[in-house]
Amino acid sequence: ESLLTFLRTEQISRISIDLRFEGLRLMPLAIRLCKALISEQYKSKLLFGDAGATALAKRDCPELSDGIMSFKQISDYSSDKSHNDLLIAVSPQPYDYEYFEAACQKYHGKVIMLNGKLDDSEVGIGSVARDRRKKFLSSWNTVYWLEPLSKGALMKSYPSDWTLFGLDPDGYRMKTEYKSKPNPE
């Protein structure tokens, strides 16, 4: 619902969804998301980091196989003049950065990044990392975020603010809200 509300009301093209659960299998979730968007009349394509994940997704969901490709393959598709499709990038990693950034720069439609982790601690804190963060990573708009914490949870659900929940003996209770993502401490 957060994503659909965002798509209907905002013109921003870089959308981030994060479900920060250890061991979460993203491929089934990405396929369900793609099918749900298609049922809402949003033509969607799934993007994976490598040929292996792309092949597995095509095997698991043959009815969507024409719209499943790797970050590298999307470059050819991106040159198409119609940018009406939603691209759902499944878990881009630091080693996918070059292809993923190039595809996003070339494609002028909406891109949904699902559980992206593009920060690379190997890059360090020098000018390369600052440049990446400033020019690309900061351009993503978080529409939905859910992260369990040791004694609570952090959630963002568009159009609401960031909400911190505490875990009480009888369940989760809202503790406070933030306008922007709170500091991890």
Side-chain angles (χ1 to χ4, degrees), residues 137-152:
L137 299 178
S138 65
S139 68
W140 294 89
N141 298 277
T142 301
V143 172
Y144 192 84
W145 179 287
L146 185 57
E147 178 180 11
L149 304 171
S150 63
K151 293 183 181 179

Side-chain angles (χ1 to χ4, degrees), residues 20-86:
R20 297 295 174 178
F21 293 89
E22 190 70 33
L24 179 65
R25 292 184 48 218
L26 281 177
M27 189 174 308
L29 185 111
I31 289 171
R32 285 194 311 269
L33 176 62
C34 187
K35 287 179 178 180
L37 289 168
I38 289 170
S39 74
E40 292 288 333
Q41 309 305 312
Y42 290 98
K43 192 173 177 189
S44 303
K45 298 203 178 294
L46 285 171
L47 306 179
F48 292 90
D50 59 49
T54 303
L56 285 173
K58 286 182 178 190
R59 182 201 68 191
D60 291 349
C61 193
E63 67 271 23
L64 296 178
S65 65
D66 290 343
I68 298 174
M69 56 191 73
S70 70
F71 299 147
K72 188 175 180 180
Q73 290 171 315
I74 195 64
S75 297
D76 297 332
Y77 177 79
S78 300
S79 61
D80 189 328
K81 296 289 186 245
S82 72
H83 294 291
N84 298 324
D85 295 355
L86 292 174

